[in-house]
Each structure stands twice: as structure tokens, then as C-alpha cells.
Amino acid sequence: MLYLNVSYEDKDKAKALGAKWNPNVKKWYVKDRKDYPKFMEFMGDDNILVLDNLYLIQGFQECFRCHKQTRVIGFGLDKYLAMYKYLEDDNYKYDRQKFARDIKLCEKNNFDMHIVGPIDPIPSKLYKLIRQKYNYKNRYSKTTHTSSISNCCDYCDVLQGDFYLFYEVDSPFWIDSEEKLEKLKIYKFNLSRDILVSANDGWSSFDELFKKHCRIKEFNIEI
Ligand SMILES: [Zn+2]
């Protein structure tokens, strides 16, 4: 199941294509994945479609302010599709056949995992769990002049910028050795529905090793 992004003007079109209305959340949705390609124009501006699972990845980083080893988190995906790959032009013309084929392939991926850093939005039940356990919260960055949900030091509360966590070679989530992999803790959550998020879908040559080398704790909490 996937919630759609349908404007009031487009509601009749979405309905005619077979979208269903959920009065509790006031959103249109499509139930079966085989019907997703029909609704690509109603999938909004988020770039990643996530199926089935979402992984929370915990690493450690030396805080630049207090120099203690603080816990930091990022997200991991195994079954996902990058939506921009299907956009043929700026008028929202999509390659629906390729998308349909890729959904089927994606459902079978049980091996590779990709670290994507922050995702937006975070499913609200998962965000509640994260807030109970980690110092991960909405924070204004003086560097980027924007507010976003960010890792903050467990000890001195200073912001741990995403760039230093995900995009530098000595970052805890820049995986280039088995030693770095072994320092990670991975938690797997089952999604009760497919979700669209904004994220950077990077990949590395170590992506096939996460599931072989890391202990993955599975939570049967639907988020
Ligand atoms: Zn600190």
C-alpha cells in the first residue's frame, strides 16, 4: 500500500484510475504494487520509494567539541527504487513499464543494503522510538542555515553534521573496510506500508556485506 500525493483538482482523475480514499488520514492510496505504475504522477517530489523494510544504523563518532565517542545514526535501505530514474521529461512523463519491471526485481533483493544517511520524512512511529533512545532531533545548523533532524552529541549536545557522518572517508558511515562494518549496530524494522522519502541514495562496494557481517536485530514493530 502506498499513500499518494493528490491535489484537490486531481482527485477525480486519481479516483478514475482506481485510487482509494482513506477518510481517517484524508489521503488517497493505492493498495497493490502492480497498480503503482498507473499513479506515478501522484507520487510527489520525494525521490526514493521504499518497500518492506527500513534499517536504522548506529555507529560511533568522536565529537569534535568534547572528544567523547558519541552514538550517531543513519538509515539503510535494501528494497528501494530511485524515482528520478523513470522520469522521461519535466512534464512528469514516466517510463511506467520500466518502473513495473523494477518493482518486481526490487521485491526480490535480499542481499544488498545501502546507507542513505538522513531520510525525510521519518515514519512517525519510528521517530518516536528514535527520540526515546538517541539524541536525534530537529536542530538549526549555523553551517547550512537550515533546520533539520540531526544527530547531536550524547554528552555535550553539539550538532554532528551530516557531512562528517556520511561523506568523508573517515566517517563512521563511509564503509571501506570490514572493521568499520563490524562497529555498526543495525536494527531492522518492517514497514506496514511502502513509503516515499527524500534521501541521498549512495552506494558502496561494501553494500553486499552488511547482511553477511553485521548483526541485525529485527523488530516486529510495524512502523
Ligand atoms: Zn560532545
Side-chain angles (χ1 to χ4, degrees), residues 138-182:
N138 203 24
R139 207 40 161 335
Y140 179 76
S141 163
K142 287 176 196 155
T143 315
T144 62
H145 301 287
T146 52
S147 280
S148 61
I149 296 176
S150 308
N151 282 285
C152 302
C153 178
D154 278 335
Y155 303 98
C156 75
D157 203 34
V158 77
L159 178 85
Q160 311 288 308
D162 287 336
F163 181 77
Y164 300 102
L165 294 176
F166 299 103
Y167 307 118
E168 278 210 312
V169 274
D170 57 351
S171 309
F173 297 122
W174 179 288
I175 305 302
D176 52 9
S177 68
E178 288 183 14
E179 287 87 341
K180 273 185 150 180
L181 265 184
E182 281 156 14

Side-chain angles (χ1 to χ4, degrees), residues 3 5 33 52 74 84 100 127 152 157 163 176 190:
Y3 285 124
N5 189 347
R33 282 184 188 151
D52 294 338
Y84 59 83
Y127 186 54
C152 302
D157 203 34
F163 181 77
D176 52 9
N190 304 312

Side-chain angles (χ1 to χ4, degrees), residues 61-70 152-160:
Q61 152 114 330
E62 185 186 315
C63 171
F64 66 91
R65 175 75 53 79
C66 73
H67 299 291
K68 290 182 179 164
Q69 291 286 322
T70 181
C152 302
C153 178
D154 278 335
Y155 303 98
C156 75
D157 203 34
V158 77
L159 178 85
Q160 311 288 308

Side-chain angles (χ1 to χ4, degrees), residues 101-118:
R101 276 198 306 274
D102 283 356
I103 286 179
K104 282 186 188 161
L105 282 175
C106 183
E107 286 178 311
K108 292 180 188 147
N109 175 25
N110 286 314
F111 304 104
D112 289 6
M113 202 178 89
H114 311 269
I115 293 184
V116 292

Side-chain angles (χ1 to χ4, degrees), residues 56 71 73 124-137 154 221:
L56 182 72
R71 299 169 311 157
I73 58 168
S124 56
K125 275 192 202 166
L126 180 61
Y127 186 54
K128 263 188 202 161
L129 290 174
I130 290 172
R131 287 291 295 123
Q132 287 167 13
K133 196 169 158 140
Y134 295 100
N135 198 9
Y136 193 65
K137 60 194 175 190
D154 278 335
I221 309 166

Side-chain angles (χ1 to χ4, degrees), residues 6 8 14 19 22 25 30 35 68 71 78 89 106 127 129 132-133 137-138 141 161 180 182 195 204 208-209 220:
V6 181
Y8 186 77
N22 179 331
V25 295
V30 49
D35 295 323
K68 290 182 179 164
R71 299 169 311 157
D78 53 4
D89 60 40
C106 183
Y127 186 54
L129 290 174
Q132 287 167 13
K133 196 169 158 140
K137 60 194 175 190
N138 203 24
S141 163
K180 273 185 150 180
E182 281 156 14
I195 55 172
S204 85
E208 61 181 42
L209 296 179
N220 285 319

